[in-house]
Amino acid sequence: MTTAIRLVFVVVGLGLLGAVVWRWPVNGWGSLVWAASMVLLTVIRLPYAKRTQANTITDKRAVSTEQLLLALVTIGGTVLPLIHLATGLLGFADYSLPDWAVIVGAAVLVPAYWLFWRSHADLGRNWSVTTEMRAEHDLVTSGVYERIRHPMYAAIWLIFLVQPLLVHNWVAGLSGPLTFAVMYFIRVPYEEAMMRERFGEAYEAYCRRSGRLCPR
Ligand code: SAH
């Protein structure tokens, strides 16, 4: 993506985010929590994305499937809710929830973002947005990876599962967890197969003593 196109995306994104803040009395304060959550996600990710650039990619898996899955999750988890909250486009599918639902959603985001941050910190320069191996790739089995193989996905599950509690719309609320479910169930088998190919018995042993999302 060229710098000019990236700039257009950033400007449009910030404009829509401004509109979401402006329209919070219409959408409820859950929309503000959702917008803050998306900003936090980007702020946590950016420095790690920069750091991994120096570690050359040596193996990319399922390239077109990955592009499709990423596009799907970006639309369901960000674009749809952003456009709906900024414009009211999907207003026909709105529902209402009491304040406690937003409080529960915000409370779940606290441990979710701690896990999201720790998984980036523990994976360090081994992290990639898509499924790929890097030239200097170590198998991480410590920190939040000690007993869970997919702590980053566990965190993203939590972030997307609370989306319907914050964005009160059948389409823009449910699109996050539904699209992430598609990505999770398609990606995890070939991500684990790639790790098994690269790390062999060390990864097998790690699988035996860890759970996918819940600690073993
Ligand atoms: N599935 C993991 C990591 C997501 S990032 C999680 O949910 O926490 C995806 C990339 O991380 C993969 O392409 C793979 O290269 C790398 N990766 C996954 N598990 C890893 C591990 N235990 N050690 C090192 N790299 C890992």
Side-chain angles (χ1 to χ4, degrees):
M1 205 188 288
T2 66
T3 314
I5 297 176
R6 219 173 266 176
L7 202 71
V8 171
F9 272 111
V10 171
V11 171
V12 172
L14 286 177
L16 288 170
L17 210 56
V20 172
V21 175
W22 176 260
R23 279 174 48 88
W24 85 265
V26 181
N27 296 314
W29 63 280
S31 63
L32 290 180
V33 177
W34 178 82
S37 159
M38 287 301 111
V39 172
L40 190 59
L41 191 139
T42 312
V43 167
I44 290 176
R45 224 158 215 200
L46 269 182
Y48 294 100
K50 283 225 159 77
R51 214 168 292 169
T52 54
Q53 272 172 5
N55 200 355
T56 321
I57 297 162
T58 53
D59 179 6
K60 269 176 171 285
R61 293 294 159 113
V63 177
S64 40
T65 309
E66 284 281 295
Q67 279 172 349
L68 238 155
L69 292 176
L70 264 188
L72 198 69
V73 173
T74 306
I75 291 169
T78 312
V79 177
L80 267 181
L82 193 59
I83 290 179
H84 166 64
L85 294 174
T87 64
L89 184 73
L90 303 166
F92 62 90
D94 276 347
Y95 54 79
S96 60
L97 282 179
D99 271 357
W100 64 258
V102 179
I103 293 169
V104 169
V108 170
L109 286 179
V110 176
Y113 273 104
W114 177 83
L115 189 59
F116 189 69
W117 162 60
R118 282 312 316 163
S119 52
H120 280 81
D122 289 341
L123 259 194
R125 60 192 190 147
N126 304 299
W127 172 66
S128 301
V129 178
T130 51
T131 304
E132 50 204 27
M133 295 304 296
R134 293 183 179 268
E136 291 173 43
H137 206 126
D138 304 312
L139 174 63
V140 177
T141 60
S142 58
V144 290
Y145 283 83
E146 194 176 341
R147 294 196 303 145
I148 320 175
R149 292 199 292 287
H150 303 288
M152 197 178 291
Y153 297 158
I156 299 173
W157 263 120
L158 292 175
I159 292 165
F160 281 156
L161 278 174
V162 302
Q163 188 169 309
L165 299 180
L166 307 174
V167 179
H168 302 161
N169 184 274
W170 289 109
V171 181
L174 289 174
S175 58
L178 289 179
T179 52
F180 186 67
V182 173
M183 171 183 255
Y184 177 83
F185 289 109
I186 293 181
R187 180 191 269 187
V188 164
Y190 63 75
E191 182 178 318
E192 291 195 347
M194 177 186 76
M195 299 297 290
R196 202 166 276 124
E197 252 175 60
R198 170 76 171 244
F199 297 105
E201 178 50 33
Y203 192 72
E204 292 289 356
Y206 174 49
C207 287
R208 285 195 293 273
R209 62 177 192 271
S210 61
R212 272 190 169 146
L213 293 175
C214 299
R216 183 175 283 182

